[in-house]
Amino acid sequence: MAENTDRLLPDVTNLTDGVDVVHDVYDQPGVDTAEGRVGMLLQGEDVQSQFIEMPGGMYMDEHAHETESIIVTLRGEWVLCARGEREHMTAGDVFWFGPGVPTGYEVPFDDDAFILIFKGTKTDDSPEEFVSYLQNEVPDLLDEEREDGAVFSFDELDDDHAAVEFARRLDGATYPE
């Protein structure tokens, strides 16, 4: 049985017609997944925003999304991987990816990284639908990926994996051990 989605929705203030506000994105509820803690922030008529708090040691292989996104790193550092190319991302960095472009997320550090995602197209009918998707569909999808050999942490990667080799060149990286 799914959890009550009300406790997992952001604290949104409606300032006036057409203006919603979320204060303190760091203190909003989310759902723990293999990708980190994911939560909805705001949803407009045609766009939506969410966050991912990625734990240290997390690895997420490249995967594509249907919509373009702009992603802002608010806290921590991590590695963006796109088509085998890697870029060290730190607080204040912003990147864009187009629809259907596979990207991966790697956190070879002890500290978590916190990113905001702005989707160029609204992909869910409501915040409740997004939370329901995170709770009811994502776990099964990630379990299927794991059964097919997907890994979700640096501890599971081989020593000669490209993410491990890249992490070894980064100052402050603690993964691999």
Side-chain angles (χ1 to χ4, degrees), residues 72-90:
V72 180
T73 304
L74 290 187
R75 183 180 69 220
E77 53 187 317
W78 60 285
V79 175
L80 164 65
C81 183
R83 297 186 173 140
E85 298 295 323
R86 287 181 163 73
E87 184 73 21
H88 182 199
M89 306 295 286
T90 60

Side-chain angles (χ1 to χ4, degrees), residues 19-143:
V19 180
D20 288 340
V21 177
V22 170
H23 292 282
D24 193 1
V25 296
Y26 301 106
D27 193 33
Q28 296 303 315
V31 175
D32 290 323
T33 74
E35 295 179 280
R37 187 171 68 91
V38 181
M40 171 62 75
L41 291 171
L42 288 172
Q43 195 174 58
E45 292 179 22
D46 297 315
V47 298
Q48 69 185 45
S49 63
Q50 59 217 45
F51 69 84
I52 302 178
E53 186 168 20
M54 302 178 292
M58 187 206 81
Y59 172 85
M60 177 59 59
D61 202 12
E62 292 184 43
H63 57 286
H65 292 276
E66 295 176 12
T67 65
E68 68 179 334
S69 294
I70 292 176
I71 299 181
V72 180
T73 304
L74 290 187
R75 183 180 69 220
E77 53 187 317
W78 60 285
V79 175
L80 164 65
C81 183
R83 297 186 173 140
E85 298 295 323
R86 287 181 163 73
E87 184 73 21
H88 182 199
M89 306 295 286
T90 60
D93 291 346
V94 180
F95 80 96
W96 164 85
F97 67 84
V101 176
T103 57
Y105 309 87
E106 305 165 1
V107 188
F109 304 95
D110 283 335
D111 294 332
D112 297 351
F114 193 93
I115 61 174
L116 293 183
I117 301 167
F118 299 92
K119 298 223 174 248
T121 302
K122 188 167 80 171
T123 59
D124 301 289
D125 289 334
S126 68
E128 291 85 1
E129 182 180 276
F130 179 75
V131 169
S132 178
Y133 165 75
L134 290 174
Q135 291 178 299
N136 300 313
E137 295 178 44
V138 167
D140 291 339
L141 293 171
L142 296 177
D143 284 346

